[in-house]
Amino acid sequence: ACLSSEAPFRVTAAAAQVLRRQRRLAMLPVTMAPPPFFGEMTPDMLEKLTRIRYCVWGIFFAAVGRLCTGDIPLSELLCGLTGVFLLKSDENMATCYACLASSPVGHCAGANGG
């Protein structure tokens, strides 16, 4: 084995990129969760939640489409369920949320219901 100082140490571009990425990740804080929000929602928040509601309905529509083609839409159903729990205070999703919260899936949402 040649371990002298004459042997060049070569780092490939891919290895250098991995090392840079590891250094950046090592600098991230342990918890990056935002603080919980308490209080009334602003009109801007309500507008964004309305857009999210349409996206959740679209995800469920896509799940039905995939089911009709013979696929199993597991990822779509999980995303849709997450969206229903996100929109638990929305009047259009209240009955769907109440149904899910009273089912075994509701136990996964935790003590505060999602």
Short mmCIF file of all heavy atoms in Angstrom, two decimals, residues 44-60 79-80 82-88 90 93:
data_model
loop_
_atom_site.label_atom_id
_atom_site.label_comp_id
_atom_site.label_asym_id
_atom_site.label_seq_id
_atom_site.Cartn_x
_atom_site.Cartn_y
_atom_site.Cartn_z
N ASP A 44 -56.62 36.21 4.41
CA ASP A 44 -55.63 35.60 3.52
C ASP A 44 -55.51 34.10 3.80
O ASP A 44 -55.40 33.28 2.88
CB ASP A 44 -54.28 36.30 3.69
CG ASP A 44 -53.25 35.83 2.70
OD1 ASP A 44 -53.61 35.70 1.51
OD2 ASP A 44 -52.10 35.60 3.11
N MET A 45 -55.51 33.72 5.06
CA MET A 45 -55.45 32.30 5.42
C MET A 45 -56.69 31.56 4.92
O MET A 45 -56.58 30.45 4.40
CB MET A 45 -55.36 32.14 6.94
CG MET A 45 -54.07 32.56 7.54
SD MET A 45 -54.23 32.36 9.33
CE MET A 45 -52.63 32.86 9.87
N LEU A 46 -57.85 32.17 5.07
CA LEU A 46 -59.09 31.53 4.62
C LEU A 46 -59.10 31.34 3.11
O LEU A 46 -59.58 30.32 2.60
CB LEU A 46 -60.29 32.35 5.07
CG LEU A 46 -60.55 32.38 6.57
CD1 LEU A 46 -61.67 33.35 6.90
CD2 LEU A 46 -60.88 30.99 7.08
N GLU A 47 -58.54 32.30 2.38
CA GLU A 47 -58.46 32.18 0.93
C GLU A 47 -57.56 31.02 0.53
O GLU A 47 -57.89 30.24 -0.36
CB GLU A 47 -57.95 33.49 0.33
CG GLU A 47 -57.80 33.44 -1.18
CD GLU A 47 -57.15 34.70 -1.72
OE1 GLU A 47 -57.14 35.72 -1.02
OE2 GLU A 47 -56.68 34.63 -2.86
N LYS A 48 -56.43 30.89 1.21
CA LYS A 48 -55.51 29.79 0.90
C LYS A 48 -56.11 28.44 1.27
O LYS A 48 -55.91 27.45 0.57
CB LYS A 48 -54.18 30.01 1.60
CG LYS A 48 -53.37 31.15 1.01
CD LYS A 48 -52.03 31.25 1.66
CE LYS A 48 -51.20 32.41 1.29
NZ LYS A 48 -51.27 33.08 0.10
N LEU A 49 -56.87 28.39 2.37
CA LEU A 49 -57.51 27.13 2.74
C LEU A 49 -58.60 26.76 1.74
O LEU A 49 -58.85 25.57 1.51
CB LEU A 49 -58.09 27.22 4.15
CG LEU A 49 -57.06 27.09 5.27
CD1 LEU A 49 -57.74 27.27 6.63
CD2 LEU A 49 -56.35 25.77 5.22
N THR A 50 -59.24 27.74 1.12
CA THR A 50 -60.23 27.45 0.08
C THR A 50 -59.55 26.78 -1.11
O THR A 50 -60.06 25.81 -1.67
CB THR A 50 -60.94 28.73 -0.36
OG1 THR A 50 -61.56 29.32 0.78
CG2 THR A 50 -61.99 28.45 -1.42
N ARG A 51 -58.39 27.28 -1.48
CA ARG A 51 -57.62 26.65 -2.57
C ARG A 51 -57.22 25.23 -2.19
O ARG A 51 -57.27 24.33 -3.03
CB ARG A 51 -56.38 27.48 -2.89
CG ARG A 51 -56.68 28.80 -3.52
CD ARG A 51 -55.41 29.55 -3.81
NE ARG A 51 -55.69 30.89 -4.25
CZ ARG A 51 -54.77 31.82 -4.40
NH1 ARG A 51 -53.51 31.54 -4.15
NH2 ARG A 51 -55.10 33.02 -4.81
N ILE A 52 -56.81 25.05 -0.96
CA ILE A 52 -56.42 23.71 -0.51
C ILE A 52 -57.62 22.76 -0.55
O ILE A 52 -57.48 21.59 -0.90
CB ILE A 52 -55.78 23.78 0.88
CG1 ILE A 52 -54.44 24.50 0.80
CG2 ILE A 52 -55.59 22.39 1.48
CD1 ILE A 52 -53.79 24.77 2.14
N ARG A 53 -58.80 23.27 -0.21
CA ARG A 53 -60.01 22.44 -0.25
C ARG A 53 -60.24 21.92 -1.67
O ARG A 53 -60.54 20.74 -1.87
CB ARG A 53 -61.22 23.22 0.23
CG ARG A 53 -62.49 22.37 0.23
CD ARG A 53 -63.70 23.12 0.69
NE ARG A 53 -63.97 24.21 -0.25
CZ ARG A 53 -64.45 25.38 0.11
NH1 ARG A 53 -64.70 25.66 1.36
NH2 ARG A 53 -64.66 26.31 -0.79
N TYR A 54 -60.09 22.79 -2.67
CA TYR A 54 -60.26 22.34 -4.05
C TYR A 54 -59.20 21.31 -4.43
O TYR A 54 -59.49 20.36 -5.16
CB TYR A 54 -60.23 23.53 -5.02
CG TYR A 54 -61.42 24.44 -4.86
CD1 TYR A 54 -61.26 25.81 -4.74
CD2 TYR A 54 -62.72 23.93 -4.83
CE1 TYR A 54 -62.35 26.65 -4.59
CE2 TYR A 54 -63.82 24.75 -4.68
CZ TYR A 54 -63.62 26.12 -4.57
OH TYR A 54 -64.71 26.94 -4.42
N CYS A 55 -58.01 21.48 -3.93
CA CYS A 55 -56.95 20.50 -4.20
C CYS A 55 -57.27 19.15 -3.56
O CYS A 55 -57.03 18.10 -4.17
CB CYS A 55 -55.60 21.01 -3.68
SG CYS A 55 -54.96 22.42 -4.60
N VAL A 56 -57.82 19.16 -2.35
CA VAL A 56 -58.18 17.91 -1.68
C VAL A 56 -59.27 17.19 -2.46
O VAL A 56 -59.21 15.98 -2.68
CB VAL A 56 -58.60 18.18 -0.22
CG1 VAL A 56 -59.22 16.94 0.42
CG2 VAL A 56 -57.41 18.64 0.59
N TRP A 57 -60.28 17.94 -2.93
CA TRP A 57 -61.32 17.32 -3.75
C TRP A 57 -60.72 16.76 -5.03
O TRP A 57 -61.11 15.68 -5.48
CB TRP A 57 -62.42 18.32 -4.07
CG TRP A 57 -63.35 18.55 -2.93
CD1 TRP A 57 -63.48 19.71 -2.21
CD2 TRP A 57 -64.26 17.62 -2.33
NE1 TRP A 57 -64.41 19.54 -1.22
CE2 TRP A 57 -64.91 18.27 -1.27
CE3 TRP A 57 -64.58 16.29 -2.60
CZ2 TRP A 57 -65.86 17.65 -0.48
CZ3 TRP A 57 -65.53 15.67 -1.80
CH2 TRP A 57 -66.16 16.35 -0.76
N GLY A 58 -59.78 17.46 -5.62
CA GLY A 58 -59.11 16.97 -6.83
C GLY A 58 -58.33 15.69 -6.58
O GLY A 58 -58.30 14.79 -7.42
N ILE A 59 -57.70 15.60 -5.40
CA ILE A 59 -56.96 14.39 -5.06
C ILE A 59 -57.92 13.21 -4.94
O ILE A 59 -57.64 12.10 -5.42
CB ILE A 59 -56.16 14.61 -3.77
CG1 ILE A 59 -54.98 15.54 -4.03
CG2 ILE A 59 -55.66 13.28 -3.19
CD1 ILE A 59 -54.25 15.99 -2.79
N PHE A 60 -59.07 13.41 -4.29
CA PHE A 60 -60.05 12.33 -4.19
C PHE A 60 -60.59 11.95 -5.58
O PHE A 60 -60.81 10.77 -5.87
CB PHE A 60 -61.19 12.70 -3.25
CG PHE A 60 -60.84 12.55 -1.80
CD1 PHE A 60 -61.00 13.60 -0.92
CD2 PHE A 60 -60.35 11.35 -1.31
CE1 PHE A 60 -60.68 13.47 0.42
CE2 PHE A 60 -60.03 11.20 0.04
CZ PHE A 60 -60.20 12.26 0.89
N CYS A 79 -53.06 11.24 1.08
CA CYS A 79 -52.99 12.70 0.93
C CYS A 79 -54.36 13.33 1.15
O CYS A 79 -54.47 14.39 1.79
CB CYS A 79 -52.46 13.07 -0.44
SG CYS A 79 -50.71 12.74 -0.66
N GLY A 80 -55.40 12.70 0.63
CA GLY A 80 -56.75 13.22 0.81
C GLY A 80 -57.17 13.20 2.27
O GLY A 80 -57.78 14.15 2.77
N THR A 82 -55.19 13.34 4.86
CA THR A 82 -54.43 14.41 5.52
C THR A 82 -55.08 15.76 5.26
O THR A 82 -55.18 16.60 6.16
CB THR A 82 -52.98 14.41 5.02
OG1 THR A 82 -52.41 13.12 5.24
CG2 THR A 82 -52.15 15.47 5.71
N GLY A 83 -55.54 15.98 4.03
CA GLY A 83 -56.21 17.23 3.69
C GLY A 83 -57.51 17.42 4.46
O GLY A 83 -57.84 18.53 4.88
N VAL A 84 -58.26 16.33 4.66
CA VAL A 84 -59.51 16.43 5.43
C VAL A 84 -59.20 16.83 6.87
O VAL A 84 -59.88 17.68 7.45
CB VAL A 84 -60.29 15.10 5.37
CG1 VAL A 84 -61.44 15.10 6.36
CG2 VAL A 84 -60.81 14.87 3.96
N PHE A 85 -58.17 16.25 7.46
CA PHE A 85 -57.82 16.62 8.83
C PHE A 85 -57.27 18.04 8.90
O PHE A 85 -57.45 18.73 9.90
CB PHE A 85 -56.83 15.62 9.43
CG PHE A 85 -57.49 14.37 9.92
CD1 PHE A 85 -57.48 13.22 9.17
CD2 PHE A 85 -58.15 14.36 11.14
CE1 PHE A 85 -58.11 12.07 9.62
CE2 PHE A 85 -58.78 13.23 11.60
CZ PHE A 85 -58.76 12.07 10.84
N LEU A 86 -56.61 18.49 7.84
CA LEU A 86 -56.14 19.88 7.80
C LEU A 86 -57.31 20.84 7.75
O LEU A 86 -57.29 21.90 8.39
CB LEU A 86 -55.24 20.09 6.58
CG LEU A 86 -54.78 21.50 6.30
CD1 LEU A 86 -53.79 21.95 7.38
CD2 LEU A 86 -54.16 21.61 4.94
N LEU A 87 -58.35 20.47 7.03
CA LEU A 87 -59.52 21.34 6.84
C LEU A 87 -60.66 21.01 7.80
O LEU A 87 -61.83 21.18 7.46
CB LEU A 87 -60.01 21.23 5.39
CG LEU A 87 -59.02 21.67 4.33
CD1 LEU A 87 -59.49 21.25 2.96
CD2 LEU A 87 -58.80 23.17 4.39
N LYS A 88 -60.33 20.57 9.00
CA LYS A 88 -61.38 20.14 9.93
C LYS A 88 -62.32 21.28 10.33
O LYS A 88 -63.47 21.05 10.65
CB LYS A 88 -60.77 19.52 11.18
CG LYS A 88 -59.98 20.49 12.04
CD LYS A 88 -59.40 19.78 13.22
CE LYS A 88 -58.56 20.74 14.05
NZ LYS A 88 -57.97 20.07 15.17
N ASP A 90 -63.32 23.67 8.26
CA ASP A 90 -64.04 24.13 7.07
C ASP A 90 -65.45 23.55 7.08
O ASP A 90 -65.65 22.37 7.33
CB ASP A 90 -63.27 23.67 5.82
CG ASP A 90 -63.85 24.24 4.55
OD1 ASP A 90 -64.18 25.44 4.53
OD2 ASP A 90 -63.98 23.47 3.59
N MET A 93 -66.11 20.52 4.77
CA MET A 93 -65.45 19.26 5.11
C MET A 93 -65.84 18.76 6.50
O MET A 93 -65.32 17.74 6.95
CB MET A 93 -63.93 19.43 5.07
CG MET A 93 -63.37 19.66 3.71
SD MET A 93 -63.36 18.15 2.80
CE MET A 93 -62.18 18.50 1.56
#
